Structures are given as structure tokens and as C-alpha cells.
Amino acid sequence: MNLQQTIRNIKNLDEMAMTAARARQESLTKPSGSLGRLEDISVQLAGILGQPVPSVRRKTIILAAGDHGVAAEGVSAYPQEVTGQMVLNFLHGGAGINVLARHAGAEVIVVDAGVASELPSDAALRCAKVRNGATGNIARGPAMSREEAVKLLECGIVLAEEQASRGADLIGTGDMGIANTTPSSAIVAVMTGHPPEKVVGRGTGLARKAWLHKVQIVRQAIETNRPDSSDALGVLAGVGGFEIALLAGVMLGTAARRRAVVLDGFISGAAALIAHGLCPAIQPYFLAAHLSAEPGHRLTMAHLRLKPLLDLNLRLGEGTGAALAMGLIEAAARCLAEMATFGEAGVSEKT
Amino acid sequence: MNLQQTIRNIKNLDEMAMTAARARQESLTKPSGSLGRLEDISVQLAGILGQPVPSVRRKTIILAAGDHGVAAEGVSAYPQEVTGQMVLNFLHGGAGINVLARHAGAEVIVVDAGVASELPSDAALRCAKVRNGATGNIARGPAMSREEAVKLLECGIVLAEEQASRGADLIGTGDMGIANTTPSSAIVAVMTGHPPEKVVGRGTGLARKAWLHKVQIVRQAIETNRPDSSDALGVLAGVGGFEIALLAGVMLGTAARRRAVVLDGFISGAAALIAHGLCPAIQPYFLAAHLSAEPGHRLTMAHLRLKPLLDLNLRLGEGTGAALAMGLIEAAARCLAEMATFGEAGVSEKT
């Protein structure tokens, strides 16, 4: 699907459905507002899906993996081959996201958006490669061309449309890519206007020296590529990553099909900044799953005016936070649909 | 079961199981600590259940309803008959807790701990009444006698033991009782040492006049009954409530049988302060489900050194927060049990 057409297809939420959902919330057997954010979520879902009493049919996590040339700068504690090894782990069902998706009743779609190591062929693995090998090293030049970025965005759109057509009402985003907090930090710094030292996380036990080095690499990536925050596609091509591009496309495709985007943590947040830069109207389609332990994520959430549902100090990625939050989002929809009204239950209202 | 014997049966967590759980977390295919609080919960569950790889069999919410003499002081916007009407709603499956328990795969046990209105007989309803009618009006005298408080605590212990014997590994607490934030506020004020005006919530749209009145009633309840925080049973009898007593008993019985107590919000927090006052060794058996919108709940959590899992602005009670959190707690256990290790998955470790 064409990127520009998809962006044009992202419309406002359905106000009539939201008004009806709000009215139904007031009729249910509980004090007004006592289900807190669950009530807000049910109303938002009504507006997204265009249903006064929204129901969640399928839940899908689109998990994109990609490698990063900037790994050569020594910004990650793990070797680059871990990206491909983890893709196999995803396909075999042994990773955190597999467990949490099973628990949530969600399906995981694993996408090779540009893994550097060779992967054995597997019918369950979706291939969305635009290049063999990792992105360009953003500390020395652009991650990819604008054309490659558009191709990946459009692959993400196609995947989202496919899942929407299969009945997925919640589409979560997940990432895997050794060193991908570095391009994500660069995107967050550019798009939110905060300096790299405020965005880059120290991680657990990331020594001061390693932290200073990572900040320096992010700064160098920005100085080298000179991304302009008003040109989100340029930011993505300059300092982004393959899986980040694909996920930004998933978000646009999901919103264009009026489904809810369940954002995972820091990397998904960076992709959301790109999607939002390309199409600000996407904002109400976002549900932020959790607040990542990465400090730049808080800045991302503030920029996107999103309040994460969970704050559990997660920093694994893969869509793990999104899978956990899907349980809460579905619970919110079920309360609106399944609770009895005061009238039905014969319960007295406020005096 | 005898109260004193139950208190003696509450032992320390199983350190060996916790050490083994921590070691297994380090071997799983994720950066160390990257599942944040899910990792901590899995280790705590290991210690509670005494299993290096804990698994959650059944999940139960014990939902106790009771009426409060202090409702006569006009502290609630709802008439007292709503307590009994909501018990029927619980039995018919139409309340918030029914929906959220279904979603979590948890069973709800509804207990009449002292509902003032007459309830039709129903085989699913547990009767733990020690008196016909509501508690005494705490603004004028004690809520109940010490003997009644002990009887209710012991009923709660029996219910917890029954559920533990049926394989419930997570036992959540839920409450229903018009005006029960007033005795709960009194308990929180006494047990934490904070003044009533810091504890009493304004609710949504609770006008300043209504708030001042409620603060005054809580103050009067404390002045009338002169509860002593070192005598938790006296606090419960003086300014407590029937359902609060029953839930404190459920907590003690759950911990004595080495099962996890999943605390709902403000009312459950007040019951937890009583259980903790009777037996400080219960603390590590608590998992706090959510931070209630009631300001006194934050003070309760600080006093009990607990960090709630969720913060969704809930203030419904019934065990709704506990049911939501059970999904996260089970997810934590499943990650520890089901994720592949680095060795199993052939994933390289940190360089």
C-alpha cells in the first residue's frame, strides 16, 4: 500500500461511538469514574474501532528485527549475531514475548526487517529486507536511503493491513536489534529536541565511560546526518533503523484501518515519533503500554502526549510490554460490554 | 482455625527457592533485569510458594460484603441498601469484579460478612455473619466487640484455608460496603499515624463541605473509640468493619498456608494494616495490586513498604484491582517457567 494514501486514510476517531460509550459507562453498576483509566480506554477503543461497545477480536504483536551498523562502535554489550539468534528463539517460542503473548492470547508475527546474519528459511518468518546486512553506521553516514525507508514503511503498512483483515483489533509493536537503543536515542533527541545526554539511558551497570561513549556516538550521528525534525522520513533514513522503519509503517497501517496501536517501550516510541512526524493525526490511535526504564522514553511519551498504562521497569523490548498491556485493554473493553447497568441489576443510584 | 495458631504458622519466605529463582532468571534469554518487576514478583512467588519455579494453579478473589452503622452520618452518596443489591449483582455475574475475574480466569467467592438488608438464600453465597444488621456507628461507639472481631478473623482464615486446599495459589481480597471508606480511613489514620484530613479522599466531585464532614466523622470515631495502634484487634473492633475483619482473616490464613495475598485497594489496605498489626511477618506474603485513587492508600502502601503493580486511578473496590494484577503476577511466573535459557536457545551471552 502506498505511504501517502495510507497517511490520507488516517481519520479522526468516531465521536458518536465515543459519546455512546461514555453514556454507557455512566449507566453501569459502579460509581461514576471508579474504573479510572479502564473507562478512558474503553471510550478510546470505541472511537478507534467505531463501535459504541467495542469488542476485541484478535490481538497481534508484529515483532520486527533488524541490525545496526552502529554496533561497530561498541555501543552494545551483546554481539551482533544475537539479533539473528533471538529471531530463532522467537520462532521456537522461547523468548519473553512468546510467553507473554501466549498469556495474553495474542499472536506473534516475526519479521526479518534486515537481520545481518543468515537465517534458515522458516515459513513463519516474514521477510521484509531491503538490503543484505545491517544499516549504515549512523555515526559515519546515513542508516539507509529515503527509498529504502519508504519501502520498509510500506512493508509495515501491508503487514498491518493483513492483520487487520484477519480481525486483529489490537496491533502491538515489538522490536529486536542489537544496538537499536542508539538510533532510537538519536531519533528521540531529534524529534523531541532534548540533548542526547538526557535521552541515553545508563542501563543497569552501564559504566560511566560506556555511557559517555554512547552519548558521544548519538551526538556524532546527529552531527553527521543533520536530521531535520520537520522531515520525519529524513530523520528515519538518516539516524533510524530497518525495524524502526517497519514498525512506523505498521503503526500507520493500523491507524488507517481504524485499529488500535499498542506501543511497546523505547524503540517503539522512537518509531511512533516517526509515524507521528509523518502523520500527526495518528496520535489518538496510540495506546502506550508501559513506561520503559530508558529515560528517553519518558520524553517520548510527553512529546506524544501519551500516558503509559504500566510502569514495571521493563526494558526488554520484543513487544513484551505491549503483550502485558493488551490484557488490560481487553479488560477495559469487557467491563464496558459485560457489566450490568443499574437498571438491569436493580441497584439504587446516587441519592 | 484458631487466630493465634494461624499467626504462629506464618513463617519466613523460602530463601532457597528464591535463590534458585534468581539464578534461573539470570540464565533466561534476556538482558539481566530487563523484565523489571516481573522478575522480582517471580522471585517473591518462589519464596511464598516454596517452589524454585513457581506455577500458579488456581486464582481466587474472596469478596466480603458488610454494612456500616456510620452510614447514618451521611458519609456516602449511596443508600445502605446498595450493599445487598450489589451482593446480588455479584452472584448474578454483572459487577465489575465478575467481568475482571472472568478475564483473569479467577473464581469469585462472595461472603456475607454482615450485610444489613435481608438477602435471598443462594447456595453460592457464604455466610459469615456475627450479628444481624450493620456495625455500630463508629462515630458514637465501637463497630463491634473484640469477640465478634476474632470470630470474623477466624471465618476469614477458614475461607482462605479452604481455597488454599482447593489449589488457589493467588488469593485476592475484595470488599463491598456502603460507607466503608470511613472506617478504613479511621484505621489508616490510627495505624499509620497520619491525621484524618491527609487520609480522607475527596472523591470525584465530593464537595468541600462533604469532605469536611467525612474528616470530622473519622476524627470523631477516633476520639470516641481511642484506638491504640499497638492493639490491632482493638483498632479493628473500635473503628473497623465486618468485611474488613473478614478480609484481615483471609490474609492471615493465606499467608499461614504459604499462598500469595493479592491486595486490592483502599479497603483491603486497611485490612492489611490490621493483619500486619496482628502479625508483622505477613508483609512478604503481600502483593499490592494497584494504587487506589484514595489518598490514604498511598500512606498505607508506604507504611507496609509495598509498591503497587498498577496505577490506573481505580477506586471501585470489589477486588477489581486484584483481578487485574493477577494477570501480571501469573505472567511473571510464566516468564520464569517458560522462557528458554541462553544455553537452550543457542543465544550468545554478554561479551
Side-chain angles (χ1 to χ4, degrees):
Chain A
M1 174 54 97
N2 178 278
L3 175 62
Q4 289 312 320
Q5 184 57 44
T6 300
I7 288 172
R8 279 193 297 275
N9 284 347
I10 298 178
K11 310 289 188 197
N12 291 339
L13 299 197
D14 182 334
E15 286 292 340
M16 277 178 62
M18 292 172 81
T19 302
R22 259 185 227 106
R24 182 168 164 82
Q25 280 291 3
E26 292 305 305
S27 75
L28 300 176
T29 44
K30 59 177 171 52
S32 172
S34 61
L35 279 176
R37 295 195 63 198
L38 295 190
E39 298 190 18
D40 304 335
I41 292 167
S42 73
V43 172
Q44 186 182 352
L45 265 187
I48 292 172
L49 300 175
Q51 299 165 9
V53 185
S55 75
V56 173
R57 294 168 300 167
R58 281 167 177 271
K59 304 177 285 288
T60 303
I61 306 278
I62 298 181
L63 167 46
D67 272 310
H68 299 269
V70 75
E73 304 290 343
V75 286
S76 173
Y78 289 86
Q80 189 168 67
E81 66 257 27
V82 167
T83 305
Q85 291 167 345
M86 284 300 296
V87 167
L88 297 184
N89 198 17
F90 300 144
L91 293 169
H92 297 151
I97 183 57
N98 299 110
V99 178
L100 294 174
R102 281 197 294 273
H103 184 62
E107 192 175 359
V108 180
I109 307 289
V110 186
V111 188
D112 176 1
V115 176
S117 50
E118 209 161 317
L119 294 169
S121 90
D122 185 312
L125 179 65
R126 306 308 182 89
C127 186
K129 272 172 129 75
V130 293
R131 193 196 285 190
N132 284 321
T135 54
N137 178 349
I138 59 173
R140 319 267 162 162
M144 67 193 95
S145 68
R146 292 175 80 96
E147 293 67 33
E148 287 173 319
V150 170
K151 270 192 200 167
L152 283 161
L153 285 162
E154 293 184 341
C155 281
I157 291 168
V158 168
L159 282 165
E161 292 189 332
E162 175 194 297
Q163 293 306 313
S165 294
R166 293 184 65 229
D169 291 319
L170 306 182
I171 297 184
T173 57
D175 70 283
M176 177 69 220
I178 292 302
N180 69 4
T181 58
T182 295
S184 297
S185 295
I187 290 171
V188 171
V190 172
M191 298 303 283
T192 70
H194 290 281
E197 64 271 21
K198 296 277 181 209
V199 171
V200 173
R202 286 166 194 260
T204 304
L206 189 63
R208 181 165 168 79
K209 208 175 143 189
W211 176 75
L212 281 171
H213 176 62
K214 190 169 167 187
V215 169
Q216 176 50 33
I217 293 296
V218 171
R219 198 175 286 132
Q220 195 180 318
I222 295 170
E223 284 167 5
T224 301
N225 291 287
R226 304 198 164 279
D228 166 7
S229 64
S230 68
D231 169 25
L233 186 65
V235 176
L236 177 61
V239 300
F242 294 145
E243 79 280 40
I244 297 170
L246 189 114
L247 292 177
V250 165
M251 294 170 193
L252 294 168
T254 299
R257 286 292 296 269
R258 305 195 70 90
R259 301 302 202 280
V261 179
V262 184
L263 293 176
D264 194 40
F266 186 57
I267 313 301
S268 290
L273 288 169
I274 298 297
H276 181 259
L278 291 168
C279 177
I282 198 174
Q283 196 273 349
Y285 290 87
F286 286 146
L287 284 153
H290 79 107
L291 183 65
S292 164
E294 286 281 337
H297 194 238
R298 191 182 292 275
L299 307 174
T300 302
M301 294 294 98
H303 185 86
L304 294 171
R305 303 185 315 284
L306 296 173
K307 198 177 163 194
L309 280 164
L310 291 163
D311 183 4
L312 297 172
N313 209 28
L314 305 177
R315 51 182 174 78
L316 177 54
E318 303 179 0
T320 47
L324 279 174
M326 280 181 173
L328 302 179
I329 296 165
E330 200 173 10
R334 291 189 65 176
C335 283
L336 181 64
E338 299 178 25
M339 278 179 71
T341 64
F342 283 103
E344 286 163 1
V347 173
S348 307
E349 299 200 43
K350 243 175 172 165
T351 47
Chain B
M1 175 52 96
N2 177 279
L3 175 62
Q4 289 313 321
Q5 184 58 46
T6 300
I7 289 172
R8 279 193 297 274
N9 284 346
I10 298 177
K11 310 289 189 197
N12 292 337
L13 299 196
D14 183 333
E15 286 292 340
M16 274 176 63
M18 293 171 80
T19 302
R22 257 186 230 107
R24 182 169 164 80
Q25 281 290 3
E26 292 304 305
S27 76
L28 300 176
T29 43
K30 59 178 172 51
S32 172
S34 61
L35 279 175
R37 294 196 63 199
L38 294 191
E39 298 190 19
D40 303 336
I41 292 167
S42 72
V43 171
Q44 185 183 354
L45 265 187
I48 291 172
L49 299 175
Q51 298 166 9
V53 186
S55 75
V56 173
R57 292 167 302 166
R58 279 168 178 273
K59 303 176 286 285
T60 304
I61 306 278
I62 298 180
L63 167 47
D67 271 312
H68 298 269
V70 75
E73 304 290 344
V75 286
S76 174
Y78 289 87
Q80 189 167 69
E81 66 257 29
V82 167
T83 305
Q85 291 167 345
M86 284 300 295
V87 168
L88 297 183
N89 198 16
F90 300 143
L91 293 168
H92 297 152
I97 183 57
N98 300 109
V99 179
L100 294 174
R102 280 198 293 274
H103 184 62
E107 192 176 359
V108 180
I109 306 290
V110 186
V111 187
D112 176 0
V115 176
S117 51
E118 210 163 315
L119 294 169
S121 91
D122 186 311
L125 179 64
R126 306 306 182 90
C127 186
K129 271 171 129 76
V130 294
R131 194 195 284 188
N132 284 322
T135 54
N137 179 347
I138 58 172
R140 318 269 163 163
M144 66 193 96
S145 69
R146 293 175 78 95
E147 293 68 33
E148 288 173 320
V150 170
K151 269 191 200 166
L152 284 161
L153 285 162
E154 293 183 343
C155 281
I157 291 169
V158 168
L159 282 165
E161 292 189 333
E162 176 194 298
Q163 293 307 313
S165 294
R166 293 184 65 229
D169 291 319
L170 305 182
I171 297 184
T173 57
D175 70 283
M176 177 70 220
I178 292 302
N180 69 5
T181 57
T182 296
S184 297
S185 296
I187 290 172
V188 171
V190 172
M191 298 303 284
T192 70
H194 290 281
E197 65 271 21
K198 295 277 181 209
V199 171
V200 173
R202 285 165 195 260
T204 305
L206 188 63
R208 180 164 168 80
K209 210 176 139 186
W211 176 75
L212 282 170
H213 175 61
K214 190 169 167 187
V215 169
Q216 176 51 32
I217 293 295
V218 171
R219 201 176 283 133
Q220 194 179 320
I222 295 171
E223 283 166 5
T224 302
N225 291 287
R226 304 199 163 278
D228 166 8
S229 65
S230 68
D231 169 25
L233 186 65
V235 175
L236 177 61
V239 300
F242 294 146
E243 80 280 40
I244 297 169
L246 189 114
L247 292 177
V250 165
M251 293 169 194
L252 294 168
T254 299
R257 287 291 297 269
R258 305 196 69 92
R259 301 301 202 277
V261 179
V262 184
L263 293 175
D264 194 38
F266 186 56
I267 313 300
S268 289
L273 288 170
I274 298 297
H276 182 258
L278 290 167
C279 177
I282 198 174
Q283 196 274 349
Y285 290 87
F286 286 145
L287 285 153
H290 79 107
L291 183 66
S292 164
E294 287 282 337
H297 194 239
R298 192 182 290 274
L299 307 174
T300 303
M301 293 293 98
H303 185 86
L304 294 172
R305 303 186 315 282
L306 295 173
K307 198 176 164 195
L309 280 164
L310 292 163
D311 182 4
L312 297 172
N313 209 28
L314 306 176
R315 54 184 173 78
L316 177 53
E318 302 179 1
T320 46
L324 279 174
M326 279 179 174
L328 302 179
I329 296 166
E330 200 174 9
R334 290 188 67 176
C335 283
L336 182 63
E338 298 178 26
M339 277 179 71
T341 63
F342 283 104
E344 286 163 3
V347 173
S348 308
E349 299 199 42
K350 240 174 173 166
T351 45

